Amino acid sequence: MSKYDFSLDMNSDNSLSLIARQLEKNKTILEFGPATGRLTKYMKEELSSMVDIVEIDSTGYEKAIEFARDGFLGDIESYQWEETFAGREYDYILFADVLEHLRNPEKVLEICKKYLKDEGRIVVSIPNVAHNSVLHNLFKNEFQYNSVGLLDN
């Protein structure tokens, strides 16, 4: 079981629910870092959208691909996913708490622009390292990574 294998909570404000609320129905979506596919499943089943995915973790990929039209298993920054999705255009390209894990997120975003439809949007969430829970621990001289959450290892 993956550390990201939990259900989508649409009843609170979290990265995924805030992104999901911005999405329209019946769209084409490229989702980077879907983990086990909790948002992917929502977009397919609740929004009737077609979703393609890029995921680095094989366990997460095997679960998420069940809800996707197509997918690429591997590192975003290898750019091999471009071969899989060549010629496709998307209404949305999603990065839910993903960009902070990349070496060169600016390059990834620049490349992704060519996969957007004219009115397409890139939707991004980035954890708030200035959150009071993190600052509180910093004042106590503690900076520990956790399995999930803001300081996700």
Side-chain angles (χ1 to χ4, degrees), residues 32 75-77 79 81 93 95 97-113 122 124-126:
F32 286 92
D75 185 350
I76 294 167
E77 292 180 291
Y79 303 101
W81 55 267
I93 297 177
F95 293 91
D97 295 357
V98 170
L99 293 177
E100 71 276 8
H101 296 279
L102 304 180
R103 295 173 299 282
N104 192 346
E106 189 174 357
K107 180 180 178 184
V108 171
L109 290 170
E110 189 63 37
I111 288 172
C112 282
K113 287 191 319 190
I122 295 177
V124 173
S125 66
I126 298 173

Side-chain angles (χ1 to χ4, degrees), residues 65-147:
I65 196 66
E66 294 177 36
F67 309 107
R69 169 182 65 175
D70 200 357
F72 174 80
L73 172 62
D75 185 350
I76 294 167
E77 292 180 291
S78 74
Y79 303 101
Q80 293 174 339
W81 55 267
E82 287 196 89
E83 296 171 25
T84 303
F85 307 124
R88 296 187 190 173
E89 290 186 323
Y90 298 93
D91 297 295
Y92 299 105
I93 297 177
L94 308 181
F95 293 91
D97 295 357
V98 170
L99 293 177
E100 71 276 8
H101 296 279
L102 304 180
R103 295 173 299 282
N104 192 346
E106 189 174 357
K107 180 180 178 184
V108 171
L109 290 170
E110 189 63 37
I111 288 172
C112 282
K113 287 191 319 190
K114 69 183 177 185
Y115 292 91
L116 282 177
K117 293 181 179 178
D118 288 339
E119 298 297 318
R121 293 176 32 204
I122 295 177
V123 182
V124 173
S125 66
I126 298 173
N128 181 7
V129 74
H131 188 272
N132 65 0
S133 64
V134 176
L135 293 176
H136 176 76
N137 286 333
L138 282 175
F139 286 127
K140 296 186 327 186
N141 203 27
E142 296 174 9
F143 193 82
Q144 295 182 352
Y145 287 95
N146 302 303
S147 60

Side-chain angles (χ1 to χ4, degrees), residues 26-69:
N26 301 307
K27 298 297 181 181
T28 54
I29 301 169
L30 177 56
E31 181 184 18
F32 286 92
T36 58
R38 58 192 179 277
L39 181 58
T40 318
K41 179 180 180 181
Y42 175 85
M43 292 184 295
K44 177 184 179 185
E45 295 178 355
E46 302 298 322
L47 300 180
S48 302
S49 291
M50 263 193 300
V51 185
D52 293 335
I53 62 169
V54 177
E55 174 57 50
I56 195 168
D57 177 69
S58 61
T59 303
Y61 179 86
E62 291 304 319
K63 292 183 178 190
I65 196 66
E66 294 177 36
F67 309 107
R69 169 182 65 175

